[in-house]
Amino acid sequence: MSRLAATLALLIPFFGLIAIGFVAARLSTLNADALGWMNIFIVYAALPALFFKLVSRTPMADLTRVDFIFTQLTTVYGVFFLMLLIASVWRRVTLAEGVIQAFGAAYGNIGYMGPGLALLVLGDAAAVPVALIVCFENAVHFVVAPALMAIAKGDARPPLAVALDVTKRVSMHPFIVSTSCGFVFAAFQISIAAPLQQLIDYLAQAAAPCALFAMGVTLALRPLKRIPVEIGYITLVKLLVLPTVMYLSLSWVGGFDRNWIYAAVLLAALPTATNVFVISQHYNVWQERASATVLITTLLSVLTLPVVLYLISSGFLTVEWTP
């Protein structure tokens, strides 16, 4: 089997699950509310179990790679603030709209699609970087989004009240809690009883299929009425520019295992996260266009992700590193 065929074979289960969810939603008479309990299962049980499992089995030396975390986050937010500047200066949109556009270009579907795809493509070597990226990037997003929207929307609450609310949301988010627990178990090498470990394994195995199916349903229930012009450059940046810059940044800093760099590039190449639509809906800003951004980037990633995977599997993305 050629590398290209093997790459496509890796993607079929992922986009196949999204397609099944999409078709199921189109054929069903149920509305978006019917997806509520599945989303609760994914966010509060399956994905946290997966993140805990990945982190708890990892040596602490790998979990404390501050240089990797810093470089990855700096790259993501370099793109974020560049897009915010473009939206504000060139498109002359409001700060609130600019924030949503910037998230559309920088916030990938790392939670839903990232772990399953990266582990399938790169194996267990991708477990640590994926867990670190999902944990720290989401944590920063959970801080930046409400902080900037509070400024943009003129939040009447005192700054301390806003800060406490943000801190509470970040510290209590299931992704952060589960990853933090994983750090504790890894640091103290705490063993888990076999029945509990089996439960965690069951939940972790359900994470990717359920998340991708739910994503397909969500896309089907958000009809695309028109394609605004700004989605064109947002899509270009999200699917092509961000992964390219991520590769260049991590390669330039150096000192990282090639699988860590590949994992970061792969997650950077994922389509816009559905959370971007959730944020826009929460603040009642740019909702229809945020939904269109999620849909269009997801559809186009069917074309761009095979290219990224082929570049990784073919060895074209060479990495100089010191073990």
Side-chain angles (χ1 to χ4, degrees), residues 112-134:
Y112 271 25
M113 296 180 68
L117 182 58
L119 291 174
L120 182 60
V121 174
L122 300 172
D124 291 341
V128 180
V130 167
L132 292 177
I133 291 171
V134 171

Side-chain angles (χ1 to χ4, degrees), residues 7 239 243 265-266 269 303-313 317:
T7 299
L239 298 180
V265 171
L266 183 56
L303 302 176
T304 58
L305 276 176
V307 175
V308 174
L309 292 179
Y310 179 77
L311 293 176
I312 290 174
S313 63
L317 299 182

Side-chain angles (χ1 to χ4, degrees), residues 21-323:
F22 188 92
V23 172
R26 288 293 190 184
L27 296 177
S28 173
T29 58
L30 298 175
N31 58 28
D33 294 337
L35 197 60
W37 284 110
M38 177 173 277
N39 283 329
I40 289 176
F41 171 74
I42 293 167
V43 173
Y44 287 91
L47 283 173
L50 176 60
F51 298 145
F52 173 81
K53 178 181 177 180
L54 294 178
V55 175
S56 63
R57 296 179 176 180
T58 302
M60 278 303 294
D62 289 335
L63 294 176
T64 52
R65 289 298 302 267
V66 178
D67 51 348
F68 176 79
I69 298 166
F70 178 79
T71 305
Q72 193 272 338
L73 284 175
T74 299
T75 303
V76 169
Y77 273 90
V79 170
F80 175 90
F81 285 110
L82 174 62
M83 290 302 299
L84 183 58
L85 181 64
I86 290 173
S88 302
V89 176
W90 179 37
R91 299 296 299 172
R92 299 185 182 277
V93 301
T94 65
L95 176 59
E97 291 182 353
V99 169
I100 302 301
Q101 289 187 29
F103 272 121
Y107 193 175
N109 207 335
I110 55 176
Y112 271 25
M113 296 180 68
L117 182 58
L119 291 174
L120 182 60
V121 174
L122 300 172
D124 291 341
V128 180
V130 167
L132 292 177
I133 291 171
V134 171
C135 177
F136 285 97
E137 187 175 326
N138 273 315
V140 174
H141 290 332
F142 298 153
V143 172
V144 171
L148 288 179
M149 294 306 285
I151 295 172
K153 303 286 282 187
D155 197 317
R157 293 177 297 170
L160 180 59
V162 176
L164 289 175
D165 182 54
V166 170
T167 302
K168 180 181 178 181
R169 290 175 181 270
V170 172
S171 62
M172 297 303 294
H173 193 280
F175 291 177
I176 308 302
V177 172
S178 60
T179 306
S180 300
C181 289
F183 269 92
V184 173
F185 274 67
F188 294 98
Q189 299 182 342
I190 301 173
S191 59
I192 303 173
L196 182 57
Q197 183 62 62
Q198 189 174 33
L199 173 61
I200 293 172
D201 291 341
Y202 282 159
L203 290 171
Q205 291 165 8
C210 290
L212 294 170
F213 177 87
M215 183 178 175
V217 173
T218 302
L219 293 174
L221 297 178
R222 293 177 191 157
L224 181 61
K225 297 178 181 178
R226 64 191 182 91
I227 303 177
V229 63
E230 56 266 42
I231 293 182
Y233 58 79
I234 290 174
T235 300
L236 176 66
V237 171
K238 180 69 206 71
L239 298 180
L240 298 178
V241 175
L242 180 57
T244 301
V245 176
M246 185 67 70
Y247 169 72
L248 294 174
S249 298
L250 290 169
S251 299
W252 180 74
V253 172
F256 306 119
D257 182 281
R258 67 183 64 239
N259 286 310
W260 284 50
I261 296 179
Y262 293 160
V265 171
L266 183 56
L267 266 62
L270 294 176
T272 301
T274 52
N275 277 344
V276 175
F277 172 73
V278 174
I279 295 170
S280 71
Q281 194 173 41
H282 179 74
Y283 292 102
N284 195 26
V285 175
W286 218 64
Q287 295 179 61
E288 182 183 328
R289 298 183 184 190
S291 176
T293 301
V294 174
L295 175 58
I296 292 170
T297 55
T298 301
L299 293 175
L300 290 180
S301 68
V302 176
L303 302 176
T304 58
L305 276 176
V307 175
V308 174
L309 292 179
Y310 179 77
L311 293 176
I312 290 174
S313 63
S314 67
F316 181 84
L317 299 182
T318 56
V319 178
E320 295 296 332
W321 63 285
T322 303

